[in-house]
Amino acid sequence: MQMREFGIGIIGTGHFLPSVVQSNEELCEIIPDLTPEWIISKTGIKRRYHVGSNETASSMAIEASKNAINNACIDAKEIGLVIVASFSQDYLFPPMSAKIHAHFELKKECQILDINTNCVGLVTALTIAAERMNSDSSIKNALVIGVEVLSKFTNPKDKETAVFFSDGASAVILGNVTKPYGFKSAKFLTDSSTYESVRMRGGGSVYPIAEKQDDLKVLYAEQNGLATWKQAVTNFPVVIHKVLDHESLKMDEIDFFIFHQANGFLIDYLMKKMKVPLSKTYTNVEEIGNTGAASIGIALSEAFSKGLIKKDSNLLIAGIGAGFNFGACIFRV
């Protein structure tokens, strides 16, 4: 095993949002029981993005990857690992990472991998990539992608999901940085006691879509908002404290936080519960909605482009996914 002499750091980020924008007013025409004011008061979300007729999960992933590669100032041929986090990829198989590999004409030695840990996918994928790179110094750069086309799996008349879910893609390039900069560690937590609270049954081996087209609930994402909230406020702080304890860091030693963009009020609540000023995080859920596994990466990309994440800072990235699973990782920037 070849051990790496350098740290594994974030050297480039990128994101892509599709062409169709749905305002709250337009959504309320589909769900007459809702008002724009109600949506804002309950979620903080003003609009969502949906794919156009010529846009797919893979096309968005490619555009986000191009941006990240350009920002990292590397040649795509230097990528030795591609991980895609998604639960709304183009096909059930083959893996979307193979399509990314083909598009950029990457080397045969480049490993590909798709994962599904729902909205915590980017944290999981970044951790897998960093650990693979740490154990194999022949992997010079890794491309980590979070992408979703949730509009294809959302019942447009269901207020539990339609007000939240959006489409988009994000990409992160990991590469060599001087130690002690780069990836530090990650911690994960699973509370499966409310496993069925957020799900999309259609398309799996238990509920194939072709056999259940008379049951729309099987074809669309389902969400129990109250159960999700309880899981988040209970377990999110726990996984964050676990990774802090592992690194012997205190909460006030974290300079910036990037969270899964599920609900603007949830992020505010968590920051207040952890006694961290809101100035130490960045949110975009108000403007683009919940983009699933893409959301952390989009927020990360925007925060870097706005200069909010400074050199020499401790960056904590955390998310919550259906199941429920939680993850948090720390990078020294």
Side-chain angles (χ1 to χ4, degrees):
M1 182 183 295
Q2 294 176 297
M3 297 303 294
R4 187 179 295 268
E5 296 179 1
F6 298 93
I8 307 301
I10 297 170
I11 63 170
T13 59
H15 66 279
F16 180 85
L17 295 173
S19 57
V20 179
V21 181
Q22 183 195 62
S23 67
N24 285 344
E25 288 75 15
E26 290 169 320
L27 179 58
C28 291
E29 292 179 5
I30 302 171
I31 311 178
D33 292 342
L34 297 184
T35 65
E37 295 75 20
W38 184 90
I39 296 173
I40 291 290
S41 69
K42 296 298 182 181
T43 71
I45 296 172
K46 301 176 183 177
R47 62 185 63 84
R48 290 141 295 276
Y49 283 78
H50 295 167
V51 291
S53 58
N54 296 320
E55 294 171 319
T56 62
S58 58
S59 73
M60 293 194 298
I62 288 168
E63 292 304 314
S65 298
K66 288 178 181 177
N67 294 334
I69 291 167
N70 288 337
N71 288 334
C73 299
I74 65 166
D75 185 330
K77 301 297 189 295
E78 298 173 352
I79 294 170
L81 172 64
V82 178
I83 303 180
V84 174
S86 181
F87 52 100
S88 58
Q89 62 271 26
D90 293 358
Y91 308 139
L92 286 177
F93 61 90
M96 189 189 298
S97 49
K99 188 164 188 175
I100 303 301
H101 183 282
H103 177 85
F104 289 106
E105 298 179 343
L106 304 180
K107 297 177 181 178
K108 287 187 176 180
E109 293 78 12
C110 175
Q111 180 187 1
I112 62 165
L113 178 66
D114 279 20
I115 66 166
N116 176 8
T117 53
N118 204 254
C119 301
V120 76
L122 201 80
V123 177
T124 311
L126 286 171
T127 302
I128 294 170
E131 291 178 349
R132 280 286 294 120
M133 293 174 74
N134 270 324
S135 66
D136 186 350
S137 62
S138 69
I139 303 174
K140 187 173 182 180
N141 298 112
L143 168 59
V144 176
I145 297 167
V147 59
E148 303 292 2
V149 183
L150 300 182
S151 62
K152 297 290 187 179
F153 303 98
T154 302
N155 182 346
K157 297 182 179 180
D158 176 20
K159 68 178 183 180
E160 290 289 340
T161 54
V163 297
F164 292 103
F165 293 152
S166 189
D167 304 339
S170 58
V172 178
I173 301 291
L174 297 182
N176 289 342
V177 294
T178 304
K179 289 183 177 180
Y181 296 105
F183 177 82
K184 293 303 179 184
S185 64
K187 288 293 181 180
F188 295 89
L189 181 154
T190 304
D191 182 345
S192 56
S193 61
T194 54
Y195 167 75
E196 301 283 357
S197 295
V198 181
R199 63 188 181 183
M200 213 294 283
R201 292 175 285 166
S205 61
V206 177
Y207 294 100
I209 289 177
E211 297 179 10
K212 289 286 183 179
Q213 289 188 357
D214 59 328
D215 184 355
L216 291 180
K217 287 185 178 180
V218 169
L219 299 178
Y220 291 127
E222 303 166 75
Q223 176 171 265
N224 181 321
L226 180 58
T228 302
W229 177 273
K230 288 180 178 179
Q231 281 274 3
V233 299
T234 301
N235 291 313
F236 226 137
V238 175
V239 76
I240 289 171
H241 281 290
K242 282 183 178 294
V243 75
L244 288 174
D245 291 345
H246 187 265
E247 289 299 313
S248 298
L249 289 171
K250 296 179 181 179
M251 192 72 73
D252 61 7
E253 292 179 285
I254 298 298
D255 301 290
F256 210 77
F257 296 79
I258 293 289
F259 296 113
H260 166 48
Q261 305 290 301
N263 179 319
F265 297 121
L266 174 60
I267 294 173
D268 287 354
Y269 180 91
L270 290 170
M271 292 292 279
K272 290 175 183 176
K273 185 174 183 177
M274 296 186 298
K275 299 180 181 180
V276 179
L278 288 174
S279 59
K280 282 193 171 186
T281 193
Y282 171 77
T283 62
N284 59 16
V285 63
E286 303 89 349
E287 301 298 330
I288 69 173
N290 177 350
T291 55
S295 78
I296 289 174
I298 295 174
L300 185 68
S301 176
E302 291 184 344
F304 269 117
S305 68
K306 294 175 182 293
L308 299 177
I309 302 173
K310 309 295 185 182
K311 183 180 178 181
D312 294 318
S313 62
N314 287 320
L315 170 66
L316 191 149
I317 304 170
I320 169 179
F324 280 81
N325 71 115
F326 301 79
C329 62
I330 294 175
F331 283 85
R332 179 72 175 173
V333 179

